[in-house]
Coordinates of all heavy atoms in Angstrom, one line a residue:
M1 N -18.3 -8.8 -3.7 CA -17.1 -9.1 -4.6 C -16.9 -10.6 -4.6 O -17.0 -11.2 -3.6 CB -15.8 -8.6 -3.8 CG -15.6 -7.0 -3.9 SD -14.0 -6.6 -3.3 CE -13.3 -5.9 -4.7
P2 N -16.8 -11.0 -5.9 CA -16.5 -12.5 -6.1 C -15.3 -12.8 -5.3 O -14.2 -12.2 -5.5 CB -16.4 -12.7 -7.6 CG -17.2 -11.4 -8.1 CD -16.9 -10.4 -7.1
V3 N -15.2 -14.1 -4.7 CA -14.2 -14.6 -4.0 C -13.9 -16.0 -4.4 O -14.8 -16.8 -4.6 CB -14.5 -14.5 -2.3 CG1 -13.4 -15.1 -1.5 CG2 -14.8 -13.1 -2.0
S4 N -12.5 -16.4 -4.3 CA -12.1 -17.7 -4.5 C -11.0 -18.0 -3.6 O -10.3 -17.2 -3.1 CB -11.6 -17.9 -6.0 OG -12.5 -17.8 -6.9
H5 N -10.9 -19.4 -3.3 CA -9.9 -19.9 -2.4 C -9.2 -21.1 -3.1 O -10.0 -21.9 -3.7 CB -10.6 -20.2 -1.0 CG -11.2 -19.1 -0.3 ND1 -10.4 -18.2 0.4 CD2 -12.5 -18.7 -0.3 CE1 -11.3 -17.3 0.9 NE2 -12.6 -17.6 0.6
A6 N -8.0 -21.4 -2.8 CA -7.4 -22.6 -3.2 C -6.3 -23.0 -2.0 O -5.8 -22.1 -1.4 CB -6.7 -22.4 -4.4
V7 N -6.3 -24.3 -1.8 CA -5.3 -24.8 -0.9 C -4.4 -25.7 -1.7 O -4.8 -26.7 -2.3 CB -5.9 -25.6 0.3 CG1 -4.8 -26.2 1.2 CG2 -6.9 -24.7 1.1
V8 N -3.1 -25.3 -1.8 CA -2.1 -26.1 -2.6 C -1.2 -26.9 -1.7 O -0.4 -26.3 -1.0 CB -1.3 -25.2 -3.4 CG1 -0.3 -25.8 -4.3 CG2 -2.2 -24.2 -4.4
P9 N -1.3 -28.2 -1.6 CA -0.4 -29.0 -0.9 C 1.1 -28.7 -1.3 O 1.4 -29.1 -2.4 CB -0.8 -30.4 -1.1 CG -2.2 -30.3 -1.7 CD -2.2 -29.0 -2.5
T10 N 1.8 -28.3 -0.3 CA 3.3 -28.1 -0.6 C 4.0 -27.8 0.8 O 3.3 -27.3 1.6 CB 3.5 -26.9 -1.6 OG1 5.1 -26.8 -1.8 CG2 3.0 -25.7 -1.0
T11 N 5.3 -28.2 0.8 CA 6.0 -27.7 2.0 C 6.9 -26.6 1.6 O 7.6 -26.1 2.5 CB 7.0 -28.8 2.5 OG1 7.8 -29.2 1.3 CG2 6.2 -30.1 3.0
S12 N 6.7 -26.0 0.4 CA 7.4 -24.8 0.0 C 6.6 -23.5 0.0 O 7.0 -22.6 -0.8 CB 8.1 -25.0 -1.3 OG 8.9 -26.3 -1.3
G13 N 5.6 -23.4 0.7 CA 4.7 -22.2 0.5 C 5.4 -21.0 0.8 O 5.2 -20.0 0.1
S14 N 6.3 -20.8 1.9 CA 7.0 -19.6 2.1 C 7.8 -19.2 0.9 O 7.9 -18.1 0.6 CB 7.8 -19.8 3.3 OG 7.0 -19.9 4.5
R15 N 8.6 -20.2 0.4 CA 9.4 -19.9 -0.8 C 8.6 -19.3 -2.0 O 9.0 -18.3 -2.7 CB 10.2 -21.2 -1.3 CG 11.3 -20.9 -2.3 CD 12.0 -22.2 -2.6 NE 11.6 -22.6 -3.9 CZ 11.4 -23.8 -4.3 NH1 11.7 -24.8 -3.3 NH2 11.0 -24.1 -5.4
Y16 N 7.5 -20.0 -2.1 CA 6.6 -19.5 -3.3 C 6.1 -18.2 -3.0 O 6.0 -17.4 -4.0 CB 5.5 -20.5 -3.6 CG 5.9 -21.8 -4.0 CD1 5.3 -23.1 -3.7 CD2 7.2 -22.1 -4.7 CE1 5.7 -24.3 -4.1 CE2 7.7 -23.4 -5.0 CZ 6.9 -24.4 -4.8 OH 7.3 -25.7 -5.2
I17 N 5.5 -17.9 -1.9 CA 5.2 -16.5 -1.5 C 6.2 -15.5 -1.9 O 6.0 -14.5 -2.5 CB 4.8 -16.4 -0.1 CG1 3.4 -17.2 0.2 CG2 4.6 -14.9 0.4 CD1 3.0 -17.2 1.6
N18 N 7.5 -15.8 -1.4 CA 8.6 -14.9 -1.6 C 8.8 -14.7 -3.1 O 8.9 -13.5 -3.5 CB 9.9 -15.5 -1.0 CG 11.1 -14.5 -1.0 OD1 10.9 -13.3 -0.7 ND2 12.1 -14.9 -1.5
R19 N 8.8 -15.8 -3.9 CA 9.1 -15.6 -5.3 C 8.0 -14.8 -6.0 O 8.3 -14.0 -6.8 CB 9.3 -17.1 -5.9 CG 10.6 -17.7 -5.5 CD 10.9 -19.0 -6.0 NE 11.3 -18.7 -7.5 CZ 11.5 -19.6 -8.4 NH1 11.2 -21.0 -8.1 NH2 12.0 -19.3 -9.6
L20 N 6.8 -15.3 -5.7 CA 5.7 -14.6 -6.5 C 5.7 -13.1 -6.1 O 5.5 -12.2 -6.9 CB 4.3 -15.2 -6.0 CG 4.1 -16.6 -6.6 CD1 2.9 -17.3 -5.9 CD2 3.7 -16.5 -8.2
C21 N 5.7 -12.8 -4.8 CA 5.7 -11.4 -4.4 C 6.8 -10.5 -5.0 O 6.6 -9.4 -5.4 CB 5.6 -11.2 -2.9 SG 4.0 -11.8 -2.2
K22 N 8.0 -11.1 -5.0 CA 9.1 -10.4 -5.6 C 8.9 -10.2 -7.1 O 9.3 -9.1 -7.7 CB 10.4 -11.0 -5.4 CG 11.0 -10.9 -3.9 CD 12.3 -11.5 -3.7 CE 12.9 -11.2 -2.3 NZ 14.3 -11.6 -2.0
H23 N 8.3 -11.2 -7.7 CA 8.1 -11.0 -9.2 C 7.0 -9.9 -9.4 O 7.2 -9.1 -10.2 CB 7.5 -12.4 -9.8 CG 7.0 -12.2 -11.1 ND1 7.9 -12.3 -12.1 CD2 5.8 -12.3 -11.6 CE1 7.2 -12.4 -13.2 NE2 6.0 -12.2 -12.9
W24 N 6.1 -9.9 -8.7 CA 4.9 -8.8 -8.9 C 5.2 -7.4 -8.3 O 4.7 -6.5 -8.7 CB 3.6 -9.3 -8.3 CG 3.0 -10.4 -9.3 CD1 2.9 -10.4 -10.6 CD2 2.3 -11.6 -8.8 NE1 2.2 -11.5 -11.1 CE2 1.9 -12.2 -10.1 CE3 2.0 -12.1 -7.6 CZ2 1.1 -13.4 -9.9 CZ3 1.2 -13.3 -7.5 CH2 0.7 -13.9 -8.7
Q25 N 6.1 -7.4 -7.2 CA 6.4 -6.0 -6.8 C 6.9 -5.0 -7.6 O 6.8 -3.8 -7.2 CB 7.3 -6.2 -5.4 CG 8.7 -6.5 -5.7 CD 9.5 -6.7 -4.4 OE1 8.9 -6.7 -3.4 NE2 10.8 -6.8 -4.6
H26 N 7.4 -5.4 -8.8 CA 7.8 -4.5 -9.7 C 6.8 -3.6 -10.5 O 7.0 -2.5 -10.9 CB 8.8 -5.0 -10.7 CG 10.0 -5.7 -10.1 ND1 11.1 -5.0 -9.5 CD2 10.3 -7.0 -10.0 CE1 11.8 -5.9 -9.0 NE2 11.5 -7.1 -9.3
K27 N 5.5 -4.2 -10.5 CA 4.4 -3.5 -11.1 C 3.3 -3.3 -10.3 O 2.4 -2.5 -10.6 CB 4.0 -4.4 -12.4 CG 5.1 -4.5 -13.3 CD 4.6 -5.4 -14.5 CE 5.6 -5.5 -15.7 NZ 5.1 -6.3 -16.8
L28 N 3.1 -4.0 -9.2 CA 1.9 -3.9 -8.2 C 2.3 -3.6 -6.9 O 3.5 -3.6 -6.4 CB 1.3 -5.3 -8.2 CG 1.0 -5.9 -9.7 CD1 0.5 -7.4 -9.6 CD2 -0.2 -5.0 -10.3
N29 N 1.3 -3.2 -6.1 CA 1.4 -3.0 -4.7 C 1.5 -4.3 -3.9 O 0.5 -5.0 -4.0 CB 0.3 -2.0 -4.2 CG 0.5 -1.7 -2.7 OD1 1.5 -1.9 -2.2 ND2 -0.6 -1.1 -2.1
V30 N 2.7 -4.6 -3.3 CA 2.9 -6.0 -2.7 C 3.4 -5.8 -1.4 O 4.2 -5.0 -1.2 CB 3.8 -6.8 -3.5 CG1 4.2 -8.0 -2.9 CG2 3.3 -7.0 -5.0
V31 N 2.7 -6.6 -0.4 CA 3.3 -6.6 0.9 C 3.5 -8.1 1.3 O 2.6 -8.8 1.0 CB 2.4 -6.0 2.0 CG1 2.9 -6.0 3.4 CG2 2.1 -4.5 1.6
H32 N 4.6 -8.5 1.8 CA 4.8 -9.8 2.2 C 5.9 -10.0 3.2 O 6.8 -9.2 3.5 CB 5.1 -10.7 0.9 CG 6.5 -10.4 0.4 ND1 7.6 -11.3 0.6 CD2 7.1 -9.5 -0.4 CE1 8.7 -10.8 0.0 NE2 8.4 -9.8 -0.6
D33 N 5.9 -11.2 3.9 CA 6.9 -11.6 4.9 C 7.0 -13.0 4.5 O 6.6 -13.6 3.6 CB 6.7 -11.3 6.3 CG 5.4 -11.9 6.9 OD1 5.0 -13.0 6.3 OD2 4.8 -11.4 7.8
E34 N 7.7 -13.9 5.5 CA 7.9 -15.2 5.2 C 6.8 -16.1 5.2 O 6.8 -17.1 4.6 CB 8.9 -15.7 6.3 CG 9.4 -17.1 6.2 CD 10.3 -17.5 7.3 OE1 10.9 -16.6 7.9 OE2 10.5 -18.7 7.5
H35 N 5.7 -15.6 5.8 CA 4.4 -16.5 6.0 C 3.2 -16.1 5.3 O 2.3 -16.8 5.2 CB 4.2 -16.8 7.4 CG 5.4 -17.4 8.2 ND1 5.8 -18.6 8.0 CD2 6.2 -16.8 9.1 CE1 6.8 -18.9 8.9 NE2 7.1 -17.8 9.5
Q36 N 3.3 -14.8 4.8 CA 2.1 -14.3 4.1 C 2.4 -13.3 3.1 O 3.4 -12.6 3.2 CB 1.0 -13.8 5.2 CG 1.6 -12.7 6.0 CD 0.6 -12.4 7.2 OE1 -0.4 -13.0 7.3 NE2 1.1 -11.6 8.1
G37 N 1.4 -13.0 2.2 CA 1.6 -12.0 1.2 C 0.3 -11.4 0.8 O -0.8 -12.1 1.0
R38 N 0.4 -10.1 0.2 CA -0.8 -9.5 -0.3 C -0.4 -8.7 -1.5 O 0.5 -8.0 -1.5 CB -1.4 -8.6 0.7 CG -2.7 -7.9 0.3 CD -3.2 -7.0 1.5 NE -4.6 -6.6 1.2 CZ -4.9 -5.5 0.4 NH1 -3.9 -4.8 -0.1 NH2 -6.1 -5.1 0.2
V39 N -1.2 -9.2 -2.7 CA -0.9 -8.5 -3.9 C -2.1 -7.8 -4.5 O -3.1 -8.4 -4.5 CB -0.4 -9.5 -5.0 CG1 0.0 -9.0 -6.3 CG2 0.8 -10.4 -4.5
E40 N -2.0 -6.5 -4.7 CA -3.1 -5.7 -5.3 C -3.0 -5.7 -6.7 O -2.1 -5.0 -7.3 CB -3.1 -4.4 -4.6 CG -3.4 -4.3 -3.1 CD -3.4 -2.9 -2.5 OE1 -3.6 -2.0 -3.4 OE2 -3.3 -2.8 -1.3
F41 N -3.9 -6.3 -7.5 CA -4.0 -6.1 -8.9 C -5.0 -5.0 -9.2 O -5.7 -4.6 -8.3 CB -4.5 -7.5 -9.5 CG -3.5 -8.7 -9.3 CD1 -3.6 -9.5 -8.2 CD2 -2.6 -8.9 -10.3 CE1 -2.8 -10.6 -8.1 CE2 -1.7 -9.9 -10.1 CZ -1.8 -10.8 -9.1
D42 N -5.1 -4.6 -10.4 CA -5.9 -3.5 -10.7 C -7.5 -4.0 -10.5 O -8.4 -3.1 -10.2 CB -5.9 -3.2 -12.3 CG -4.5 -2.5 -12.6 OD1 -4.0 -1.9 -11.6 OD2 -4.1 -2.4 -13.7
T43 N -7.7 -5.3 -10.6 CA -9.2 -5.8 -10.5 C -9.3 -6.7 -9.4 O -10.5 -7.3 -9.3 CB -9.5 -6.6 -11.8 OG1 -8.5 -7.8 -12.0 CG2 -9.4 -5.6 -13.0
G44 N -8.6 -6.7 -8.4 CA -8.8 -7.5 -7.1 C -7.6 -7.7 -6.4 O -6.4 -7.1 -6.7
V45 N -7.6 -8.4 -5.3 CA -6.5 -8.7 -4.3 C -6.3 -10.1 -4.2 O -7.3 -11.0 -4.1 CB -6.9 -8.0 -3.0 CG1 -5.9 -8.3 -1.9 CG2 -7.0 -6.6 -3.1
C46 N -5.1 -10.5 -4.1 CA -4.7 -12.0 -3.8 C -4.0 -11.9 -2.5 O -3.0 -11.3 -2.3 CB -3.8 -12.5 -5.0 SG -3.3 -14.3 -4.6
R47 N -4.4 -12.9 -1.6 CA -3.6 -13.1 -0.3 C -3.2 -14.5 -0.2 O -3.8 -15.4 -0.7 CB -4.7 -12.9 0.8 CG -5.1 -11.5 1.0 CD -6.1 -11.2 2.2 NE -6.5 -9.9 2.4 CZ -7.5 -9.3 1.7 NH1 -8.1 -9.9 0.7 NH2 -7.7 -8.1 1.8
L48 N -1.9 -14.6 0.2 CA -1.2 -15.9 0.2 C -0.9 -16.1 1.7 O -0.3 -15.2 2.3 CB 0.0 -15.8 -0.6 CG -0.2 -15.4 -2.1 CD1 0.1 -13.9 -2.3 CD2 0.7 -16.1 -3.0
R49 N -1.0 -17.4 2.2 CA -0.6 -17.7 3.6 C 0.0 -19.1 3.5 O -0.5 -20.0 3.0 CB -1.7 -17.6 4.5 CG -1.4 -17.9 5.9 CD -2.7 -17.8 6.8 NE -3.9 -18.3 6.2 CZ -4.2 -19.7 6.4 NH1 -3.5 -20.5 7.1 NH2 -5.5 -20.1 6.0
A50 N 1.3 -19.2 4.1 CA 2.1 -20.4 4.1 C 1.8 -21.0 5.4 O 1.8 -20.6 6.4 CB 3.5 -20.1 3.9
E51 N 1.4 -22.4 5.3 CA 1.4 -23.3 6.5 C 2.5 -24.4 6.2 O 3.1 -24.6 5.1 CB 0.0 -24.0 6.4 CG -1.2 -23.1 6.7 CD -1.3 -22.6 8.2 OE1 -0.9 -23.4 9.0 OE2 -1.7 -21.5 8.4
P52 N 2.8 -25.2 7.1 CA 3.8 -26.1 7.0 C 3.5 -27.2 5.8 O 4.6 -27.6 5.2 CB 3.9 -26.9 8.3 CG 3.3 -26.0 9.4 CD 2.4 -25.1 8.5
D53 N 2.3 -27.5 5.5 CA 2.1 -28.4 4.5 C 1.2 -27.9 3.4 O 0.8 -28.7 2.6 CB 1.4 -29.6 5.2 CG 0.1 -29.5 5.8 OD1 -0.1 -28.2 5.9 OD2 -0.6 -30.3 6.2
A54 N 1.0 -26.5 3.3 CA 0.2 -26.0 2.2 C 0.3 -24.6 2.1 O 0.7 -23.9 3.0 CB -1.3 -26.3 2.7
L55 N -0.1 -24.1 0.8 CA -0.1 -22.7 0.6 C -1.5 -22.4 0.3 O -2.3 -23.0 -0.5 CB 0.7 -22.4 -0.7 CG 0.6 -21.0 -1.2 CD1 1.2 -20.0 -0.2 CD2 1.4 -20.9 -2.6
H56 N -2.1 -21.4 1.0 CA -3.5 -21.0 1.0 C -3.5 -19.8 0.2 O -2.8 -18.8 0.5 CB -4.0 -20.7 2.5 CG -4.1 -22.0 3.3 ND1 -5.2 -22.6 3.5 CD2 -3.0 -22.7 4.0 CE1 -5.0 -23.8 4.2 NE2 -3.7 -23.7 4.6
L57 N -4.4 -19.7 -0.8 CA -4.6 -18.6 -1.7 C -6.1 -18.1 -1.5 O -7.0 -18.9 -1.4 CB -4.5 -19.1 -3.1 CG -3.1 -19.7 -3.5 CD1 -3.1 -20.2 -4.9 CD2 -1.9 -18.7 -3.3
S58 N -6.2 -16.9 -1.6 CA -7.5 -16.3 -1.5 C -7.6 -15.0 -2.5 O -6.6 -14.1 -2.4 CB -7.8 -15.7 0.0 OG -9.1 -15.0 0.0
L59 N -8.6 -15.0 -3.3 CA -8.8 -13.9 -4.3 C -10.1 -13.2 -4.1 O -11.1 -13.8 -3.7 CB -8.9 -14.5 -5.7 CG -7.6 -14.9 -6.3 CD1 -7.9 -15.6 -7.7 CD2 -6.6 -13.8 -6.6
E60 N -10.0 -11.9 -4.0 CA -11.3 -11.0 -4.2 C -11.2 -10.1 -5.4 O -10.1 -9.4 -5.6 CB -11.4 -10.1 -2.9 CG -11.6 -10.9 -1.6 CD -11.5 -9.9 -0.4 OE1 -12.0 -8.8 -0.5 OE2 -11.2 -10.3 0.6
A61 N -12.2 -10.2 -6.2 CA -12.1 -9.6 -7.4 C -13.3 -8.6 -7.6 O -14.3 -8.7 -6.9 CB -12.2 -10.5 -8.6
V62 N -13.3 -7.6 -8.6 CA -14.3 -6.7 -8.6 C -15.5 -7.2 -9.4 O -16.7 -6.7 -9.2 CB -13.8 -5.4 -9.5 CG1 -12.8 -4.6 -8.8 CG2 -13.3 -5.8 -10.9
D63 N -15.4 -8.3 -10.1 CA -16.5 -9.0 -10.8 C -16.1 -10.4 -11.1 O -14.9 -10.8 -11.0 CB -17.0 -8.2 -11.9 CG -16.0 -8.0 -13.1 OD1 -15.1 -8.9 -13.2 OD2 -16.2 -6.9 -13.8
A64 N -17.1 -11.2 -11.6 CA -16.8 -12.6 -11.9 C -15.7 -12.8 -13.0 O -14.9 -13.7 -12.9 CB -18.1 -13.4 -12.3
E65 N -15.9 -11.9 -14.0 CA -14.8 -11.9 -15.2 C -13.4 -11.8 -14.6 O -12.5 -12.5 -15.0 CB -15.3 -11.0 -16.2 CG -14.3 -11.1 -17.4 CD -14.8 -10.1 -18.6 OE1 -15.9 -9.7 -18.6 OE2 -13.9 -9.8 -19.4
A66 N -13.2 -10.7 -13.8 CA -12.0 -10.4 -13.2 C -11.4 -11.5 -12.3 O -10.3 -11.9 -12.4 CB -12.0 -9.1 -12.4
R67 N -12.4 -12.2 -11.5 CA -11.9 -13.3 -10.7 C -11.5 -14.4 -11.5 O -10.4 -15.0 -11.2 CB -13.1 -13.8 -9.9 CG -12.8 -15.0 -9.1 CD -14.0 -15.6 -8.3 NE -15.0 -15.9 -9.1 CZ -16.2 -16.2 -8.6 NH1 -16.4 -16.4 -7.3 NH2 -17.3 -16.7 -9.4
E68 N -12.1 -14.8 -12.7 CA -11.7 -15.8 -13.5 C -10.3 -15.5 -14.1 O -9.4 -16.4 -14.1 CB -12.7 -16.1 -14.7 CG -12.4 -17.2 -15.5 CD -13.5 -17.5 -16.6 OE1 -14.6 -17.0 -16.4 OE2 -13.1 -18.2 -17.5
H69 N -10.1 -14.3 -14.5 CA -8.8 -13.9 -15.1 C -7.6 -14.0 -14.0 O -6.6 -14.5 -14.2 CB -8.8 -12.5 -15.7 CG -7.6 -11.9 -16.0 ND1 -6.9 -12.4 -17.2 CD2 -6.8 -11.1 -15.4 CE1 -5.8 -11.8 -17.4 NE2 -5.6 -10.9 -16.4
L70 N -7.9 -13.4 -12.7 CA -6.9 -13.4 -11.7 C -6.7 -15.0 -11.2 O -5.4 -15.3 -11.0 CB -7.4 -12.7 -10.5 CG -7.5 -11.2 -10.7 CD1 -7.9 -10.4 -9.5 CD2 -6.0 -10.7 -11.0
E71 N -7.7 -15.8 -11.2 CA -7.5 -17.2 -10.9 C -6.4 -17.8 -11.9 O -5.5 -18.6 -11.4 CB -8.7 -18.1 -11.0 CG -9.7 -17.8 -9.9 CD -11.0 -18.5 -10.1 OE1 -11.3 -19.0 -11.3 OE2 -11.9 -18.5 -9.2
H72 N -6.6 -17.5 -13.1 CA -5.7 -18.0 -14.1 C -4.3 -17.4 -13.9 O -3.3 -18.2 -14.1 CB -6.2 -17.7 -15.6 CG -5.3 -18.0 -16.7 ND1 -5.1 -19.2 -17.0 CD2 -4.4 -17.3 -17.4 CE1 -4.1 -19.4 -18.0 NE2 -3.8 -18.1 -18.2
V73 N -4.2 -16.1 -13.8 CA -2.9 -15.4 -13.6 C -2.2 -16.0 -12.4 O -0.9 -16.4 -12.5 CB -3.0 -14.0 -13.5 CG1 -1.8 -13.2 -13.0 CG2 -3.6 -13.3 -14.8
V74 N -2.8 -16.1 -11.3 CA -2.1 -16.5 -10.1 C -1.6 -17.9 -10.3 O -0.6 -18.4 -9.9 CB -3.1 -16.4 -8.9 CG1 -2.4 -17.1 -7.6 CG2 -3.3 -14.9 -8.7
A75 N -2.6 -18.9 -10.8 CA -2.2 -20.3 -10.9 C -1.0 -20.5 -12.0 O -0.2 -21.2 -11.6 CB -3.5 -21.1 -11.4
V76 N -1.0 -19.8 -13.1 CA 0.0 -19.9 -14.1 C 1.4 -19.5 -13.4 O 2.4 -20.1 -13.6 CB -0.4 -19.1 -15.4 CG1 0.9 -18.9 -16.3 CG2 -1.4 -19.8 -16.2
H77 N 1.3 -18.4 -12.8 CA 2.7 -18.0 -12.1 C 3.1 -18.9 -11.1 O 4.3 -19.1 -10.9 CB 2.4 -16.5 -11.6 CG 2.5 -15.4 -12.6 ND1 1.5 -15.2 -13.4 CD2 3.6 -14.6 -13.0 CE1 1.9 -14.2 -14.3 NE2 3.1 -13.8 -14.1
L78 N 2.1 -19.4 -10.2 CA 2.6 -20.3 -9.2 C 3.1 -21.6 -9.8 O 4.2 -22.1 -9.3 CB 1.4 -20.7 -8.3 CG 1.7 -21.6 -7.2 CD1 2.9 -21.3 -6.3 CD2 0.4 -22.0 -6.4
V79 N 2.6 -22.1 -10.9 CA 3.2 -23.3 -11.4 C 4.5 -23.0 -12.0 O 5.4 -23.8 -11.9 CB 2.1 -23.8 -12.6 CG1 2.8 -24.8 -13.5 CG2 0.8 -24.4 -11.9
R80 N 4.7 -21.9 -12.6 CA 6.0 -21.5 -13.2 C 7.0 -21.4 -12.0 O 8.2 -21.8 -12.1 CB 5.8 -20.2 -13.9 CG 7.1 -19.9 -14.7 CD 7.0 -18.5 -15.4 NE 5.9 -18.4 -16.2 CZ 5.1 -17.3 -16.3 NH1 5.6 -16.1 -15.8 NH2 4.1 -17.3 -17.1
M81 N 6.7 -20.8 -10.9 CA 7.6 -20.6 -9.8 C 7.9 -22.0 -9.1 O 9.0 -22.1 -8.5 CB 7.1 -19.7 -8.8 CG 6.7 -18.3 -9.3 SD 8.3 -17.4 -9.7 CE 7.7 -16.0 -10.6
A82 N 7.0 -22.8 -9.2 CA 7.2 -24.3 -8.6 C 7.6 -25.2 -9.6 O 7.2 -26.4 -9.6 CB 5.9 -24.6 -7.9
S83 N 8.5 -24.9 -10.6 CA 9.0 -25.7 -11.7 C 9.4 -27.1 -11.2 O 9.4 -28.0 -12.0 CB 9.9 -24.9 -12.4 OG 11.1 -24.6 -11.7
R84 N 10.0 -27.2 -10.0 CA 10.6 -28.4 -9.5 C 9.6 -29.3 -8.8 O 9.8 -30.4 -8.4 CB 11.7 -28.3 -8.7 CG 12.9 -27.6 -9.3 CD 14.0 -27.3 -8.3 NE 15.0 -26.4 -8.9 CZ 15.8 -25.6 -8.1 NH1 15.7 -25.6 -6.9 NH2 16.7 -25.0 -8.8
E85 N 8.4 -28.8 -8.7 CA 7.3 -29.4 -8.0 C 6.0 -29.5 -8.8 O 5.7 -28.4 -9.3 CB 7.1 -28.8 -6.5 CG 6.1 -29.4 -5.7 CD 5.9 -28.7 -4.3 OE1 6.6 -27.7 -4.1 OE2 5.2 -29.3 -3.5
D86 N 5.2 -30.5 -8.8 CA 4.0 -30.5 -9.5 C 2.9 -30.0 -8.6 O 2.4 -30.7 -7.7 CB 3.7 -32.0 -9.9 CG 2.5 -32.1 -10.7 OD1 2.2 -31.1 -11.4 OD2 1.8 -33.2 -10.8
V87 N 2.5 -28.8 -8.8 CA 1.5 -28.2 -7.9 C 0.2 -28.1 -8.7 O 0.1 -28.0 -10.0 CB 1.8 -26.8 -7.5 CG1 3.1 -26.8 -6.6 CG2 2.1 -25.8 -8.7
D88 N -0.9 -28.3 -8.0 CA -2.2 -28.2 -8.6 C -3.0 -27.2 -7.8 O -3.2 -27.3 -6.6 CB -2.9 -29.6 -8.4 CG -4.3 -29.6 -8.9 OD1 -4.5 -29.0 -10.0 OD2 -5.2 -30.3 -8.4
V89 N -3.5 -26.2 -8.5 CA -4.3 -25.1 -8.0 C -5.7 -25.3 -8.4 O -6.1 -25.1 -9.6 CB -3.8 -23.7 -8.5 CG1 -4.6 -22.6 -7.8 CG2 -2.3 -23.5 -8.3
A90 N -6.5 -25.7 -7.4 CA -8.0 -25.9 -7.7 C -8.7 -25.0 -6.9 O -8.8 -25.0 -5.7 CB -8.3 -27.4 -7.2
W91 N -9.3 -24.0 -7.6 CA -10.1 -22.8 -7.0 C -11.4 -23.2 -6.5 O -12.2 -24.0 -7.2 CB -10.1 -21.7 -8.0 CG -8.8 -21.1 -8.3 CD1 -8.2 -21.2 -9.5 CD2 -8.1 -20.2 -7.4 NE1 -7.0 -20.5 -9.3 CE2 -6.9 -19.8 -8.0 CE3 -8.3 -19.6 -6.2 CZ2 -6.0 -18.9 -7.6 CZ3 -7.4 -18.8 -5.6 CH2 -6.2 -18.4 -6.3
R92 N -11.8 -22.9 -5.4 CA -13.2 -23.0 -4.8 C -13.8 -21.6 -4.7 O -13.2 -20.7 -4.2 CB -13.1 -23.7 -3.6 CG -14.5 -23.8 -2.9 CD -14.4 -24.5 -1.5 NE -13.4 -23.9 -0.6 CZ -13.7 -22.9 0.2 NH1 -14.9 -22.2 0.1 NH2 -12.7 -22.3 1.0
R93 N -14.9 -21.5 -5.5 CA -15.5 -20.1 -5.6 C -16.7 -20.0 -4.5 O -17.5 -20.9 -4.2 CB -16.1 -20.0 -6.9 CG -15.1 -19.9 -7.9 CD -15.6 -19.7 -9.3 NE -14.6 -19.5 -10.3 CZ -14.8 -19.3 -11.6 NH1 -16.0 -19.3 -12.1 NH2 -13.8 -19.2 -12.4
D94 N -16.6 -18.9 -3.8 CA -17.6 -18.5 -2.8 C -18.5 -17.5 -3.4 O -18.0 -16.3 -3.5 CB -16.9 -17.9 -1.5 CG -16.0 -18.9 -0.9 OD1 -16.1 -20.2 -1.2 OD2 -15.3 -18.5 0.0
D95 N -19.6 -17.8 -3.8 CA -20.6 -17.0 -4.6 C -21.7 -16.5 -3.7 O -22.8 -16.2 -4.3 CB -21.1 -17.5 -5.9 CG -20.0 -17.8 -6.8 OD1 -19.1 -16.9 -7.0 OD2 -20.0 -18.9 -7.7
A96 N -21.6 -16.5 -2.5 CA -22.7 -16.1 -1.7 C -22.9 -14.5 -1.5 O -22.0 -13.9 -1.8 CB -22.4 -16.6 -0.1

């Protein structure tokens, strides 16, 4: 499975996990608490983990095309949820 990771510098990681998971839970299988979340998309899974100074994102997709699409979807939604903060989502791909 193609995998990607991103570390987003922010002190609002828990807030973003809460907002993203609540947004997606109406259509997707979502599990989350204050410090972590898991979102099951049709073509992959996104895991989110909040640290005091960063939000860690991890994607596992069924194929490279799905990974690229999920990277875009997660990044766009995170930027929208973080409207008061300039966040940069730089994905690092693990193609091993």
Side-chain angles (χ1 to χ4, degrees):
M1 289 187 118
V3 175
S4 291
H5 301 279
V7 178
V8 179
T10 181
T11 58
S12 301
S14 291
R15 190 176 104 218
Y16 298 150
I17 289 173
N18 186 50
R19 292 186 74 190
L20 287 166
C21 288
K22 283 186 175 184
H23 173 76
W24 281 321
Q25 74 184 4
H26 301 289
K27 295 182 179 180
L28 303 168
N29 186 12
V30 174
V31 177
H32 72 99
D33 61 29
E34 184 178 341
H35 302 290
Q36 60 190 354
R38 183 175 191 278
V39 181
E40 292 181 21
F41 295 93
D42 291 339
T43 58
V45 174
C46 179
R47 290 178 180 82
L48 308 96
R49 181 173 46 87
E51 296 285 331
D53 60 351
L55 175 61
H56 295 260
L57 307 170
S58 176
L59 285 175
E60 292 180 29
V62 295
D63 58 33
E65 185 177 336
R67 174 179 61 188
E68 185 173 341
H69 175 71
L70 289 176
E71 287 173 350
H72 175 75
V73 167
V74 172
V76 165
H77 279 80
L78 178 56
V79 167
R80 189 180 311 143
M81 298 295 168
S83 60
R84 295 181 191 152
E85 181 179 5
D86 185 24
V87 296
D88 181 36
V89 183
W91 293 102
R92 179 181 49 85
R93 294 179 175 178
D94 296 344
D95 291 326

